[in-house]
Amino acid sequence: MKNRVDYNEKLAEHFTLGEMVRSATARRLNIRNVPNEAHVECLRALCQQVLEPLRRRFGVIRITSGYRCPALNEAVGGVKNSQHMRGEAADIHCGSIDEARKMVVFMRENLVFDQLLLERIMGNGCCWIHVSYVVETERRCNRQMVRFVSI
């Protein structure tokens, strides 16, 4: 692991390492959410293969959760084997269910992914998309199809 983390490091044209590790929960609980080099390479692949094409199609997208260290994953109630802890997943905030569905259809029809979940967050229509991408050849992206949770 590098001694110093460059949060301005570009992972793709429009995504930085800082954006992919930022967490209000980590800040509030004083959790040091720092990925190692392998995690950064997974985040880079996720950004280049999934998030960058999504941004080109839909404009600015807001990542609410990218990499999570084990302590942060536990603090937010993530599953024990969460792909966030490997730098393989991101949650994307959507202002409406219609916006989210358009993004999901685009990803399903145009991108390679491992897991794609559309999840509702609140009664105001805001929701989020969980998407993951796997680099390791022995764990190829399986294109687990969309699951709508609480919608």
Side-chain angles (χ1 to χ4, degrees):
M1 186 162 96
K2 295 186 230 176
N3 291 332
R4 193 167 164 88
V5 178
D6 179 4
Y7 293 105
N8 293 315
E9 178 181 349
K10 288 267 195 176
L11 301 178
E13 183 180 357
H14 296 99
F15 296 92
T16 64
L17 179 58
E19 181 176 10
M20 298 304 292
V21 301
R22 180 177 45 232
S23 167
T25 301
R27 234 182 347 264
R28 183 172 38 84
L29 299 176
N30 201 27
I31 296 172
R32 193 162 186 269
N33 189 41
V34 179
N36 65 31
E37 290 180 37
H39 299 139
V40 172
E41 288 312 307
C42 289
L43 287 167
R44 186 180 318 282
L46 172 67
C47 289
Q48 292 173 354
Q49 299 302 315
V50 179
L51 301 180
E52 204 48 58
L54 191 64
R55 187 190 190 284
R56 279 194 299 274
R57 172 65 178 85
F58 291 96
V60 176
I61 59 175
R62 186 170 138 221
I63 306 303
T64 57
S65 185
Y67 171 76
R68 296 180 197 150
C69 67
L72 177 57
N73 191 62
E74 184 177 340
V76 299
V79 297
K80 293 203 182 296
N81 63 343
S82 174
Q83 288 181 287
H84 287 278
M85 294 189 299
R86 293 190 296 268
E88 296 174 343
D91 293 339
I92 303 162
H93 175 269
C94 299
S96 73
I97 193 67
D98 289 335
E99 174 188 7
R101 286 187 173 134
K102 288 175 187 173
M103 287 184 182
V104 164
V105 168
F106 173 80
M107 285 188 277
R108 186 177 58 210
E109 293 177 354
N110 298 287
L111 303 178
V112 174
F113 57 86
D114 184 54
Q115 193 176 59
L116 183 58
L117 311 172
L118 176 54
E119 303 180 271
R120 189 161 201 156
I121 190 169
M122 290 189 282
N124 66 1
C126 290
C127 50
W128 78 90
I129 298 168
H130 168 94
V131 64
S132 65
Y133 180 84
V134 174
V135 176
E136 297 175 33
T137 55
E138 63 273 5
R139 290 180 50 232
R140 299 246 180 215
C141 290
N142 67 26
R143 291 186 58 86
Q144 180 178 331
M145 295 314 288
V146 180
R147 177 178 74 198
F148 293 90
V149 179
S150 302
I151 292 183

